[in-house]
Amino acid sequence: MTVPTVTVRYFAGARAAAGRAEETASAGRSLDELLTELTDRHGERLAAVLRAASFLVDGVTCHDRRAPLPAGVTIDVLPPFAGG
């Protein structure tokens, strides 16, 4: 039996803090629950980035961080970008 998953992609400082560009996690949980899991996996450095980051779910800004994430979606973690 295959466990339904979501894909998490990290960009810029989030990639550095997570130590990877991409990983999978279980589907069916909310974004807030997923962020707690990712913090537990990768520690406070990633937690600090996640507190300031924006999140896209399949390319759309996530406005309800408590809604369940369906299987197969991609979550992009976008930290604040510097520059102009």
Side-chain angles (χ1 to χ4, degrees):
M1 183 171 128
T2 303
V3 175
T5 61
V6 299
T7 300
V8 180
R9 297 190 305 185
Y10 299 104
F11 294 88
R15 178 181 297 183
R20 66 192 65 219
E22 185 175 293
E23 68 183 307
T24 59
S26 299
R29 293 170 300 145
S30 70
L31 180 61
D32 281 342
E33 292 167 328
L34 174 63
L35 298 181
T36 297
E37 178 185 325
L38 297 175
T39 295
D40 290 345
R41 277 188 203 177
H42 301 292
E44 183 54 37
R45 185 172 173 213
L46 181 61
V49 173
L50 295 177
R51 284 191 290 273
S54 299
F55 305 93
L56 302 180
V57 178
D58 278 350
V60 178
T61 302
C62 181
H63 293 291
D64 184 357
R65 292 171 54 135
R66 290 175 284 158
L69 296 167
V73 299
T74 298
I75 297 97
D76 293 330
V77 180
L78 306 172
F81 292 96

